Amino acid sequence: TGSPLHTAYAIPQLRAMYQNEKCAVNHVQGNYQWQSLASFCIARWTARTFLPISYSEASWTGLLNVQKCTYDEAAMELLPMACRKALPALADYSEFVQGIPKNTPNKEGEDFKAELNPYWTLFPELQDCKFFLGIGDGACANIGSKCTTASRIAVTIGTSAAARICLRYESCLSASSFFQIPKLQGLFCYRIDKSHVLIGGALTDGGSAVEWARQFLNLHSDCAFMDCMDQVQALVNEEYKAAATSDNEHLSKSKGAQELVVAPFLSGERSTGFRDGATGAVLGLTRGTTSAEFFKSVLEGCALRLKAVLDLIIASRYEQASSVTPVIIASGKAMENNDLWRQMIADSSGLRVIFDKDTEEATIRGAAQLVAFALQATKISSSSSPDVQTFILSSQEEEIHPFKTSEPRLAATAFYREKALAQNAFISAIAPLFSITSLSGERIDQLSNNKNK
């Protein structure tokens, strides 16, 4: 399915709903279907009972076989029969519903009653428009960020963080002609449409981790925050100078911040481990640890988890343009306004980070572009053979117009590589404790008593 078996996805949530007798889904009378929010709204507006769910939205649930563009058989086996029967049909996002009818159909759907469709008067400007099925926001953000080829990776940092790449892989029934999902362990793989997939990973805490650190250190005023950031910048400069000059004595003096290792799982972990019960942790705190050193370690902790995702993404693109070093097209205020953090991400990943002046509203821009592509493909297919209606995103690569750029520094990339190894070792060491800390106190007492017996 291209997604892990995790509580963030639909399988565990649907199982829990159907197993809970008090849940409303177990008391629905008559015929019903699960609908995405987009399909539900369009169906209401256009006076239809149900609409399909797009491959894009379905793959976000973890129920879609991304290779075949059908519901995954193994995933279906994990769901109750009542749930399976209620799943909506599948379709490409480019399938559309034409216009808002003036009247609503009767129950049989044959003739129209005199009753006026309320949306006919509510949305007069949409009466003759085409309504397309929903598309995942990550897919839209990639397209809107001009990341439609294997040479560009979209990275967004807001409250959370994500890195994604768009690759062309046609849906097919032959496993030999599709990449193997296990090679991408730690990433998600979602469908954009029947011809393209989106591969990437997400962190639950991005800008939220920085905001938490600011509140934790009582840096409430802008003056206090900027003073701390200046100190962090000084620490980073000292560390880089030592690494660039191979000055081991100088480097040892700057080890205060380097010795702090952070697992930034304040709201749990998604990529790359998807470990239930994961929490934040810090290694290396002493009485001499300063606020600047702590803040620096939080910034580095998030940058290094993003590096882990980026390393896997780069490995996933070996079949497409593997000889071309990719660039990061960045978006999100958290990274745009923090030059130091942006440089950390460039240094740790070893990739150029670019902000494009055209992509400030990347998600809505991408949604508009995907609809335009679908309309163009529909126009072409109506005047020629059906084979030409597949739209290839890589053929639409747009020119980048940078307004902020951060170049990676080789010496910094080298010592961030060491920091990444230390963080991975730390997370692996504390991972067995995640499941224990997520247990209730009563359950911990039970385990302790059993052990004593």
Side-chain angles (χ1 to χ4, degrees):
T1 65
S3 60
L5 191 59
H6 189 268
T7 52
Y9 292 93
I11 294 176
Q13 296 175 21
L14 289 170
R15 284 173 60 90
M17 285 182 185
Y18 279 91
Q19 289 173 3
N20 182 359
E21 288 296 328
K22 296 181 179 179
C23 187
V25 72
N26 292 307
H27 302 281
V28 176
Q29 300 295 321
N31 183 34
Y32 72 93
Q33 267 191 25
W34 287 101
Q35 295 277 275
S36 69
L37 183 59
S39 295
F40 175 80
C41 290
I42 297 172
R44 281 291 185 92
W45 300 338
T46 59
R48 284 165 170 78
T49 305
F50 304 124
L51 281 180
I53 186 173
S54 71
Y55 300 139
S56 175
E57 288 185 301
S59 62
W60 249 260
T61 68
L63 298 174
L64 186 77
N65 183 312
V66 291
Q67 175 183 321
K68 301 177 181 179
C69 284
T70 59
Y71 284 117
D72 186 74
E73 294 180 5
M76 293 298 98
E77 289 296 324
L78 297 175
L79 297 177
M81 182 57 69
C83 180
R84 290 182 236 173
K85 291 180 178 180
L87 293 176
L90 296 166
D92 215 342
Y93 85 89
S94 57
E95 294 195 18
F96 60 85
V97 178
Q98 180 68 54
I100 298 177
K102 184 175 182 179
N103 297 303
T104 58
N106 63 15
K107 294 182 180 180
E108 288 72 30
E110 296 175 357
D111 301 320
F112 282 86
K113 297 189 296 183
E115 184 179 349
L116 184 69
N117 181 352
Y119 299 102
W120 171 264
T121 54
L122 187 62
F123 304 135
E125 65 278 10
L126 302 180
Q127 289 173 0
D128 297 317
C129 81
K130 294 179 173 67
F131 292 94
F132 290 86
L133 296 178
I135 312 169
D137 60 346
C140 293
N142 254 64
I143 309 306
S145 297
K146 303 182 180 179
C147 296
T148 58
T149 69
S151 62
R152 297 177 185 175
I153 302 173
V155 171
T156 304
I157 300 183
T159 302
S160 57
R164 304 169 300 264
I165 191 170
C166 173
L167 300 177
R168 184 186 178 191
Y169 280 106
E170 299 282 349
S171 61
C172 60
L173 299 178
S174 172
S176 62
S177 59
F178 198 83
F179 64 90
Q180 298 298 306
I181 295 297
K183 293 181 181 177
L184 307 178
Q185 188 170 5
L187 300 181
F188 56 68
C189 176
Y190 301 146
R191 274 279 163 197
I192 299 175
D193 59 14
K194 61 184 178 184
S195 302
H196 303 86
V197 295
L198 192 72
I199 296 173
L203 312 180
T204 306
D205 291 291
S208 61
V210 177
E211 183 60 28
W212 168 82
R214 180 176 178 173
Q215 298 300 319
F216 184 75
L217 297 172
N218 292 319
L219 303 174
H220 300 300
S221 70
D222 291 342
C223 181
F225 176 69
M226 293 309 299
D227 181 60
C228 181
M229 287 300 295
D230 289 342
Q231 295 177 50
V232 172
Q233 183 69 72
L235 290 170
V236 172
N237 291 343
E238 184 179 8
E239 193 172 34
Y240 174 71
K241 181 179 179 181
T245 58
S246 300
D247 186 349
N248 293 329
E249 181 180 352
H250 194 184
L251 186 60
S252 65
K253 292 179 181 179
S254 66
K255 283 262 184 166
Q258 184 179 348
E259 290 299 321
L260 285 180
V261 183
V262 171
F265 305 143
L266 301 175
S267 306
E269 183 190 19
R270 283 193 276 174
S271 299
T272 58
F274 290 95
R275 283 168 277 236
D276 285 329
T279 59
V282 183
L283 175 67
L285 286 171
T286 70
R287 294 177 65 182
T289 300
T290 66
S291 296
E293 290 170 346
F294 183 84
F295 203 93
K296 173 177 176 284
S297 69
V298 173
L299 291 173
E300 286 182 339
C302 294
L304 292 174
R305 294 324 300 155
L306 202 54
K307 167 183 164 54
V309 172
L310 289 165
D311 287 346
L312 289 173
I313 289 176
I314 292 171
S316 74
R317 56 189 282 282
Y318 66 96
E319 292 181 1
Q320 302 187 20
S322 59
S323 61
V324 179
T325 301
V327 297
I328 291 174
I329 308 299
S331 61
K333 292 296 182 183
M335 194 160 43
E336 180 181 348
N337 297 333
N338 194 324
D339 295 342
L340 172 59
W341 203 12
R342 188 170 64 253
Q343 186 61 53
M344 277 186 180
I345 292 170
D347 288 336
S348 61
S349 66
L351 303 175
R352 174 194 280 185
V353 177
I354 300 171
F355 268 88
D356 186 281
K357 62 183 179 182
D358 300 330
T359 61
E360 183 177 354
E361 296 291 343
T363 303
I364 194 168
R365 183 177 187 271
Q369 286 180 299
L370 284 167
V371 169
F373 296 159
L375 288 171
Q376 184 175 344
T378 301
K379 184 177 180 180
I380 293 173
S381 64
S382 64
S383 59
S384 58
S385 66
D387 294 335
V388 298
Q389 60 182 303
T390 298
F391 203 91
I392 308 306
L393 292 175
S394 58
S395 67
Q396 302 299 312
E397 186 174 58
E398 299 179 83
E399 183 180 353
I400 297 174
H401 301 120
F403 76 94
K404 286 187 179 182
T405 302
S406 298
E407 299 286 350
R409 302 172 294 181
L410 291 178
T413 301
F415 68 69
Y416 277 118
R417 191 178 300 117
E418 295 181 5
K419 290 174 183 282
L421 292 173
Q423 187 191 56
N424 289 335
F426 177 48
I427 292 173
S428 296
I430 64 174
L433 300 175
F434 291 155
S435 58
I436 294 177
T437 56
S438 65
L439 293 172
S440 65
E442 182 180 351
R443 178 59 177 155
I444 292 176
D445 290 341
Q446 291 176 355
L447 291 174
S448 178
N449 293 334
N450 291 338
K451 183 177 180 181
N452 291 335
K453 291 178 181 179

